[in-house]
Amino acid sequence: MTDAEDVSHKPKRRGSALAVDLRRARAAQRRAERAAGAAAALPSRAEPSPTIVCDDRDPIDCVREWFASEGWEPFEFQEEVWRAYLAGESGLIHAATGTGKTYAAWIGPVLEWMQDYPAAQRSSRAARSLGHAPPLRVLWVTPLRALAADTEAALRAPIQDLGLPWTVESRTGDTAPRVRARQSRRLPTALITTPESLSLLLTWADTPSLFENLDLVVVDEWHELMSSKRGVQTELALARLRRWRPNLRTWGLSATLGNLETARDTLLGMTAQGFERAGRIIRGLVPKALTVDSLIPETMERFPWSGQIGLRLLPEVIAAIEEGRTSLVFTNTRATAELWFQALLSARPDWAGVIALHHGSLDRDTREWVEDGIRDGRLRCVVCTSTLDLGVDFTPVDRVLQVGSPKAVGRLIQRAGRSGHQPGAVSRLTCVPTNALELVDVAAARDALGRSAIESRPPVERPLDLLAQHAVTVAVGGGFRPAELRDEVRTTRAYRDLSDGEWNWVMDFITRGGSALGAYPEYNKVVERDGLYVARDRMVAMRHRMSIGTIVSEAAMKVRFVRGRTIGTVEENFIARLRSGDVFTFAGRTLKFVRVRDMTAWVRSSNETTSVVPHWTGARLALSPELAAAVRGKLDQARQGVFEGPEMEAVRPILELQARWSTVPAADELLIERVQTREGHHLFFYPIEGRLVHEGLAALFAYRLAQLGPITFTLAANDYGFELLSPEGVRLEEALEDGLVSPDHLLHDIPASLNAAELARRQFREIARVAGLIFQGYPGNNKSVKQVQASSGLLYDVFARYDPENLLLFQAHREVLEKQLERSRLGRTLERLAAGRITIKAVERPTPLAFALLVDRAREQVSSERFLDRVRRLVAPLERAAGNGNARIARGGGRGFR
Amino acid sequence: MTDLMLRIAGEEVYLLAERALWWPNASTLVVADLHWGKASTFRAVGIPIPIGTTSDDLARLDSALTRTGARRMVVLGDLFHAKAGRVASHTLAELRRWRSLAAPVEILLVRGNHDRHSGDPPSDLRINCVNAPAFVPPFVFRHEPADRGDGYGLAGHVHPGITLMGRGLQRETLPCFVIGPLGALIPAFGSFTGLGLVEPGPGDRAFVVVEGEVLEVSLPVDLGPNAYPAELHEVSHAESRGSGLDHGVEH
């Protein structure tokens, strides 16, 4: 493991961040070409002449000259990767986005080819025009189709300037059928593709011959892929490629993670003997100086609740945007992004046209327009979600704001890193809290950042649904012998421990449905012919190609103008609640709903004002373990009277009140508050471990408490703790002695405590899609597949009843435990709590920490009362008890952020 | 099995826990949406669905026929799921065996949208087929619910289901009968069929079928923030959406 630490302290380059300007220029050029091409009937693609004449010089000198011609000098870590590549090594390069990782991975094979083919043989233009560009040598896997075009331009630039006869093309879901057909006869020298398109390539029988000269696979944004089933899909494809090309080199590009070695091992896979393959970990540029600060409201309520501050900081946010040239305002949800965009626009109507909105539900053209607008500095501000976390470099961005807690250190770094690409600039991120306690998160994140405590991403282990899909993929692509495929699959890290029983079950599943005894009549997908397992017929092959992949499409409905274009997609759930004539905000516009037809919501523009915003049921973010630990540290300091920095200073009155009424928990202390109100007996626990863990703990504790005697609980959880509310009092001390917080018997208690069956039924949605139980349909042809569509819930019920031993059901349960309930993290939390001390405080009324939980529970309840009124009703008596009589504590100092 | 007696259109009827309606005066059992052969249609295109759904359905049908001693059975459409020719021999053999052994009951199929595509059942199953509506006063049998003022309508097609809220945030969706002043909806009989959420209107009564019992639901049911309005059934195609709504139905 070589980390190139020493080099990056003295960046030598002259120009702006490495790949950035270049990509921008090339992308613009490409777009111009495309526009010109569309205009001309026969676009004659002007072949740019090489700008670097290499002749017989050492290729590395030519490459350095090319870097110089762009105004750069290669970074030491880039040259290190080139040397490692030329020495036949594989590995992982980690650094923030936009720091030259692309050329670190790309130049190696270029140098190698130039060494192998001296200048005389490199007749570029003629060779290329005759279709004699070298066959596929480099495969570049990217998680986002949107990144493919930019990557293509970046890879092509040095090729063209050095006059190499290479071709660089993309193949994704967006690629024209004509191009795809040409590619299936001959692939370009370098191919940029997605995991799904790569799997699709494996379904063509002549693919092995197309991959005969493959030397290198680069997997971009590996940190993003590796903890999902798409990552496993990539692992399986890599295992297949390595079988065809045993000396294949693999390089991953990743953000910095807490588990880099696992990331590398997962990418490189295992040897046939079951050992991890050797590989390098090379660190790219150390992050530039990174500043994190916050906007702090002038007045602070002492009883924090989520959403409390709302849009109150809008003037400060506007001031911050005015300060910068181009700003990104990140939000944690799409709905928040819509709200903030609307708010900005109504406060600054003069910004119409120079501020924009970007999130995953918007139409792709719109998103591309916004991305271009950021690149060429046309836009002053973009309100966005995680869709702009990845990829695309935006040089003009000099200000990043984050609405709400960043929830994870890695996310904070990634988002902050979107700014400060100008020479000499620093990356700066300004947090805009939505409630007072989020200021603690920010202070904690700054601490964690100082310690480089960055989150790990756990890879997915042994998903059998995906293995079934892959086996059919290989069957379609020419067939397999079971023992061989099993051994090949075991060379991936995900399936290194695949048992023979599991493998045999997968084989049964794709050939007979059930086991040998319970075979499903009329069913087979894969059949044996002379020992080779192949697809039953062309129909099976065709259907399979249409359903490759692991992404569960949200039940989204297109939103389209009655006369005009598509605006984007909104969850059907939301549309279903609209009546004709209802007005809502989407894509930054006010729209009037007309009707639903052909799976499309038809709308018109509207001038009415509304606050109705679609919600999307994405997973709500929870505090990461690293950030949660840092928050506990911050609270521990506060307990000792240490309030460092403006954020902690701002929440000081809240925490002091908390200390007065109860206590601020120490880092090794589990605080339990018990309080009786008209609602009943409340128990508040504060493990400070993130919402997901708290939901699991709440259910677990409720279950364990109920073992002492019949009792009913209402549960609520947030990032700081959870509440158990019951009509009767609880024998807490007795329960604690009986092991309420014990990590023992978890495997039994967790499923018993939750409606595990219902959770598994929901989890089955993804599994059913991946395992091929749900046919997604042919593009543009909804009707013909209707007769073979069933909801995943119905499928789950049928399997649970008629084939209860089906391993996909077990997988659903396992995924619920591991993914949704974070069982391992739950176990670690219990170990931590059991090792620490427990403090029980009987309090007279809910404390500031408890209040946030009370509000969250109120939010879940159905009531005709306005939510804000209910919160006011809750807070009034508490404020009276806290003294001052005044609902707010005025803060000194001028307005604006500090 | 606990059934429930009530009087509609002046006639005494029973809502049976088998998901059927029993009309003793005419010795008629009314069922809807059997979707025979649905599982085998899936299997034939390479989607593995376990066997057992058809046998279960036939056993439940036998139970209803035996308990009532019905002489006549009316199927309110969607008897077969897909083209008869595609219904596998395995399933068809099972149906023939059932027809030869089961009670000598006269079967009338009021064709539904699926029957139009799959064609009439093979003649040896001895099933008479008519287009909707079929008038047997005071009732009108049809597949898709419609209010034409031509009698008290009994219909299927929507696979009616209703979501009940439990303690905490638990919710469960159950098949149901909806009995209105002008017509009634019968739950889907087939066990491999989804549910379409309905929102009973004023004057409607709803009865859920749960664990061998028919229970009246007090209306209006608070469907919670994520429920589907009834009129959107036309768009709720099979794969369904998000949490708590996994009851996609195909009519």
Side-chain angles (χ1 to χ4, degrees):
Chain A
M1 273 125 290
T2 322
D3 263 23
E5 296 182 31
D6 49 339
V7 288
S8 30
H9 296 302
K10 34 175 181 174
K12 288 176 277 184
R13 74 211 152 95
R14 281 176 278 132
S16 73
L18 192 57
V20 183
D21 275 351
L22 177 73
R23 285 192 196 178
R24 184 160 58 119
R26 299 294 171 189
Q29 182 192 335
R30 178 178 50 80
R31 268 183 295 277
E33 271 177 17
R34 210 162 52 191
L42 270 176
S44 62
R45 189 116 146 253
E47 196 67 59
S49 312
T51 53
I52 313 286
V53 182
C54 214
D55 294 330
D56 295 327
R57 283 187 297 155
D58 187 342
I60 187 84
D61 291 335
C62 310
V63 165
R64 288 201 182 113
E65 189 189 328
W66 178 77
F67 269 73
S69 73
E70 299 284 338
W72 314 319
E73 209 172 306
F75 292 116
E76 182 52 38
F77 86 90
Q78 292 177 319
E79 299 216 11
E80 188 184 350
V81 177
W82 304 343
R83 285 193 298 272
Y85 177 82
L86 292 173
E89 290 185 90
S90 296
L92 185 76
I93 311 164
H94 68 100
T97 303
T99 49
K101 282 181 291 185
T102 303
Y103 287 142
W106 175 236
I107 298 297
V110 171
L111 286 172
E112 187 175 57
W113 192 85
M114 289 168 80
Q115 283 171 4
D116 290 353
Y117 296 87
Q121 294 173 32
R122 291 184 225 137
S123 60
S124 69
R125 213 175 309 173
R128 208 173 344 182
S129 61
L130 290 171
H132 290 317
L136 182 73
R137 297 176 75 90
V138 180
L139 194 62
W140 195 282
V141 180
T142 173
L144 290 177
R145 290 196 285 207
L147 292 183
D150 282 352
T151 307
E152 196 181 317
L155 301 192
R156 196 174 281 145
I159 297 303
Q160 282 178 351
D161 293 345
L162 291 167
L164 264 53
W166 284 25
T167 47
V168 180
E169 289 176 9
S170 305
R171 183 188 178 95
T172 68
D174 298 338
T175 307
R178 180 179 50 84
V179 176
R180 256 183 287 180
R182 174 165 54 71
Q183 286 174 345
S184 53
R185 290 188 298 277
R186 188 183 178 88
L187 288 169
T189 320
L191 181 72
I192 301 151
T193 190
T194 59
E196 289 74 21
S197 291
L198 176 56
S199 291
L200 260 173
L201 274 174
L202 302 181
T203 65
W204 301 102
D206 52 356
T207 297
S209 65
L210 293 173
F211 282 64
E212 259 170 3
N213 295 286
L214 184 68
D215 289 329
L216 167 65
V217 179
V218 176
V219 184
D220 207 350
E221 311 277 9
W222 175 237
H223 61 283
E224 200 56 38
L225 282 174
M226 74 175 273
S227 57
S228 69
K229 284 186 187 169
R230 295 181 82 202
V232 181
Q233 192 180 6
T234 312
E235 287 181 66
L236 286 166
L238 283 170
R240 190 114 199 101
L241 297 181
R242 286 192 191 111
R243 194 177 135 102
W244 297 335
R245 300 282 297 157
N247 292 323
L248 182 73
R249 280 157 282 183
T250 316
W251 284 86
L253 312 183
S254 165
T256 301
L257 296 172
N259 57 340
L260 283 169
E261 291 179 16
T262 307
R264 175 202 54 195
D265 296 345
T266 308
L267 181 72
L268 300 191
M270 326 288 289
T271 63
Q273 292 73 37
F275 298 113
E276 268 133 20
R277 274 203 192 82
R280 305 279 293 268
I281 293 181
I282 294 181
R283 178 152 88 177
L285 286 188
V286 170
K288 302 155 282 211
L290 196 159
T291 315
V292 177
D293 54 11
S294 311
L295 300 181
I296 296 172
E298 283 173 61
T299 57
M300 279 287 227
E301 279 109 345
R302 276 177 300 191
F303 295 93
W305 47 279
S306 60
Q308 172 186 38
I309 298 176
L311 293 167
R312 230 192 308 146
L313 288 165
L314 184 66
E316 283 84 353
V317 169
I318 288 176
I321 295 170
E322 275 172 337
E323 256 182 26
R325 194 156 66 104
T326 303
S327 306
L328 295 181
V329 178
F330 280 100
T331 64
N332 288 341
T333 68
R334 283 170 270 193
T336 318
E338 291 273 355
L339 282 175
W340 274 84
F341 179 75
Q342 280 299 322
L344 284 172
L345 207 55
S346 33
R348 290 297 299 263
D350 55 314
W351 280 357
V354 294
I355 65 174
L357 184 65
H358 192 287
H359 61 66
S361 293
L362 299 181
D363 185 58
R364 215 179 69 228
D365 286 347
T366 312
R367 274 184 282 161
E368 279 179 6
W369 179 86
V370 174
E371 285 158 23
D372 288 350
I374 304 173
R375 264 186 291 254
D376 50 32
R378 187 159 29 92
L379 290 174
R380 153 145 240 173
C381 167
V382 177
V383 184
C384 57
T385 62
S386 55
T387 46
L388 288 188
D389 276 358
L390 278 192
V392 201
D393 294 313
F394 298 132
T395 306
V397 175
D398 55 2
R399 196 72 206 261
V400 175
L401 294 111
Q402 157 76 35
V403 175
S405 167
K407 307 275 191 188
V409 183
R411 183 174 304 110
L412 188 103
I413 295 174
Q414 186 73 10
R415 291 187 171 174
R418 307 320 324 247
S419 73
H421 289 288
Q422 306 83 357
V426 293
S427 294
R428 175 175 174 195
L429 181 130
T430 302
C431 290
V432 184
T434 59
N435 80 62
L437 282 182
E438 284 182 342
L439 288 169
V440 180
D441 295 3
V442 177
R446 198 184 292 126
D447 280 4
L449 208 55
R451 292 196 311 272
S452 298
I454 298 170
E455 289 81 12
S456 299
R457 301 233 184 171
V460 178
E461 300 274 353
R462 273 203 334 278
L464 295 185
D465 53 349
L466 191 59
L467 187 54
Q469 186 187 91
H470 182 70
V472 179
T473 297
V474 179
V476 170
F480 64 87
R481 290 176 203 285
E484 283 171 14
L485 183 60
R486 181 199 60 205
D487 292 346
E488 175 187 313
V489 160
R490 279 183 183 156
T491 65
T492 63
R493 192 174 180 283
Y495 298 101
R496 65 195 184 287
D497 295 328
L498 182 77
S499 71
D500 283 347
E502 285 167 322
W503 170 253
N504 292 338
W505 182 85
V506 168
M507 285 301 297
D508 279 341
F509 182 72
I510 61 172
T511 53
R512 287 190 291 251
S515 61
L517 286 176
Y520 302 177
E522 307 106 29
Y523 167 80
N524 56 10
K525 218 167 187 169
V526 171
V527 294
E528 191 204 327
R529 285 189 194 127
D530 306 327
L532 206 60
Y533 281 76
V534 295
R536 184 186 67 197
D537 52 29
R538 284 185 51 211
M539 202 61 190
V540 164
M542 190 184 73
R543 280 176 187 277
H544 183 70
R545 287 194 184 104
M546 320 229 47
S547 22
I548 278 183
T550 61
I551 301 169
V552 180
S553 57
E554 283 171 48
M557 206 180 258
K558 263 190 222 155
V559 180
R560 195 169 164 186
F561 284 118
V562 171
R563 283 183 194 77
R565 62 186 185 86
T566 302
I567 312 163
T569 51
V570 170
E571 271 194 20
E572 221 179 297
N573 228 344
F574 171 78
I575 294 290
R577 260 175 291 152
L578 295 180
R579 317 269 149 166
S580 183
D582 280 359
V583 175
F584 66 103
T585 305
F586 174 62
R589 300 156 179 276
T590 309
L591 303 170
K592 181 175 272 183
F593 175 65
V594 179
R595 64 170 163 201
V596 167
R597 214 182 57 196
D598 301 334
M599 290 304 290
T600 302
W602 300 87
V603 297
R604 291 180 206 279
S605 276
S606 165
N607 296 322
E608 292 169 49
T609 53
T610 177
S611 60
V612 179
V613 170
H615 71 164
W616 288 267
T617 46
R620 269 202 290 164
L621 296 171
L623 273 192
S624 75
E626 282 72 14
L627 193 49
V631 166
R632 291 196 296 273
K634 274 325 243 194
L635 292 182
D636 197 85
Q637 285 179 353
R639 189 181 60 94
Q640 298 166 43
V642 179
F643 294 90
E644 274 175 3
E647 289 89 1
M648 292 307 288
E649 210 35 70
V651 294
R652 184 172 191 154
I654 298 173
L655 295 178
E656 282 176 350
L657 182 65
Q658 171 72 28
R660 198 143 49 86
W661 283 7
S662 166
T663 186
V664 176
D668 63 344
E669 179 180 25
L670 169 64
L671 169 64
I672 307 174
E673 288 172 351
R674 59 199 313 178
V675 59
Q676 196 178 344
T677 68
R678 269 185 312 185
E679 284 190 295
H681 296 257
H682 308 253
L683 285 177
F684 294 99
F685 297 78
Y686 306 104
I688 312 178
E689 195 58 67
R691 193 177 43 80
L692 283 183
V693 171
H694 293 157
E695 281 175 0
L697 282 179
L700 178 71
F701 284 14
Y703 168 78
R704 286 178 172 176
L705 286 167
Q707 300 307 298
L708 299 175
I711 190 163
T712 305
F713 289 107
T714 307
L715 316 178
N718 65 14
D719 277 331
Y720 280 55
F722 59 91
E723 179 204 21
L724 303 183
L725 168 64
S726 55
E728 313 88 33
V730 172
R731 286 176 287 166
L732 180 63
E733 286 78 4
E734 194 185 326
L736 283 168
E737 267 174 38
D738 279 6
L740 178 66
V741 300
S742 160
D744 301 335
H745 313 297
L746 263 191
L747 266 182
H748 168 269
D749 287 0
I750 294 181
S753 64
L754 288 146
N755 192 351
E758 183 54 31
L759 289 174
R761 193 174 183 267
R762 286 186 203 165
Q763 189 66 23
F764 202 62
R765 185 159 176 242
E766 180 187 290
I767 293 171
R769 181 255 182 274
V770 174
L773 301 179
I774 291 174
F775 181 51
Q776 311 245 94
Y778 312 104
N781 182 359
N782 276 328
K783 299 212 167 112
S784 68
V785 296
K786 261 195 164 170
Q787 292 188 332
V788 287
Q789 282 187 334
S791 77
S792 56
L794 177 58
L795 289 168
Y796 180 88
D797 292 344
V798 168
F799 276 103
R801 173 125 187 238
Y802 299 103
D803 189 6
E805 297 299 305
N806 194 302
L807 290 192
L808 295 182
L809 299 176
F810 289 103
Q811 189 187 330
H813 281 272
R814 202 180 71 186
E815 286 183 4
V816 164
L817 283 178
E818 292 300 337
K819 273 168 56 178
Q820 295 196 359
L821 305 175
E822 297 198 70
R823 190 189 71 205
S824 45
R825 194 175 163 197
L826 205 79
R828 282 196 299 276
T829 304
L830 287 172
E831 275 161 25
R832 175 172 70 78
L833 298 181
R837 60 202 156 92
I838 294 172
T839 305
I840 305 174
K841 289 273 179 188
V843 292
E844 282 179 43
R845 53 188 78 79
T847 60
L849 285 182
F851 188 72
L853 282 161
L854 283 183
V855 173
D856 280 346
R857 182 162 49 76
R859 197 191 301 271
E860 300 282 347
Q861 285 162 357
V862 184
S863 167
S864 53
E865 210 177 345
R866 270 187 65 218
F867 180 63
L868 211 56
D869 294 338
R870 284 154 71 204
V871 172
R872 289 210 183 94
R873 194 163 48 79
L874 286 172
V875 80
L878 295 178
E879 281 290 355
R880 271 198 302 279
N884 277 356
N886 197 346
R888 288 178 178 180
I889 301 165
R891 292 178 46 82
R895 179 174 116 105
F897 50 91
R898 353 167 98 221
Chain B
M1 295 279 173
T2 317
D3 310 320
L4 207 136
M5 195 273 279
L6 63 152
R7 192 167 277 281
I8 50 177
E11 291 290 314
E12 186 179 274
V13 298
Y14 290 80
L15 309 183
L16 306 188
E18 285 92 347
R19 291 191 232 165
L21 183 143
W22 164 234
W23 179 19
N25 275 347
S27 191
T28 298
L29 187 73
V30 183
V31 292
D33 299 283
L34 279 76
H35 290 271
W36 277 347
K38 181 169 173 187
S40 57
T41 309
F42 274 57
R43 289 191 290 262
V45 299
I47 300 174
I49 303 293
I51 47 171
T53 51
T54 311
S55 320
D56 259 21
D57 288 353
L58 293 178
R60 200 150 34 86
L61 205 51
D62 277 340
S63 156
L65 289 170
T66 316
R67 289 202 303 129
T68 57
R71 286 200 308 276
R72 194 150 57 133
M73 178 166 96
V74 175
V75 180
L76 302 178
D78 290 1
L79 178 67
F80 278 96
H81 182 70
K83 252 197 192 67
R86 286 172 61 191
V87 170
S89 51
H90 157 86
T91 308
L92 210 51
E94 201 173 347
L95 293 175
R96 290 198 167 106
R97 199 162 51 242
W98 170 78
R99 191 68 174 111
S100 62
L101 295 176
V105 60
E106 178 193 322
I107 303 179
L108 177 74
L109 167 65
V110 179
R111 294 186 189 103
N113 52 330
H114 276 263
D115 303 301
R116 277 196 293 280
H117 291 287
S118 41
D120 288 345
S123 56
D124 57 351
L125 287 178
R126 290 175 282 120
I127 294 171
N128 299 318
C129 305
V130 295
N131 283 333
F135 296 93
V136 184
F139 296 121
V140 189
F141 298 117
R142 43 169 56 104
H143 178 58
E144 296 180 29
D147 180 19
R148 300 263 151 73
D150 47 6
Y152 189 93
L154 293 179
H157 185 60
V158 295
H159 304 191
I162 208 161
T163 302
L164 302 180
M165 304 288 288
R167 268 202 304 255
L169 289 172
Q170 289 182 350
R171 48 172 72 205
E172 185 143 20
T173 304
L174 300 165
C176 69
F177 294 88
V178 180
I179 310 292
L182 302 171
L185 288 176
I186 312 290
F189 192 87
S191 39
F192 186 33
T193 55
L195 292 173
L197 293 186
V198 292
E199 220 174 76
D204 287 349
R205 299 171 70 189
F207 303 85
V208 295
V209 182
V210 53
E211 288 166 9
E213 279 191 71
V214 179
L215 301 169
E216 176 151 21
V217 177
S218 54
L219 294 174
V221 176
D222 182 357
L223 294 175
N226 285 326
Y228 262 28
E231 66 269 26
L232 278 151
H233 280 140
E234 53 190 334
V235 303
S236 68
H237 88 160
E239 177 48 13
S240 79
R241 3 254 153 221
S243 56
L245 280 162
D246 230 333
H247 309 284
V249 64
E250 170 221 325
H251 307 305

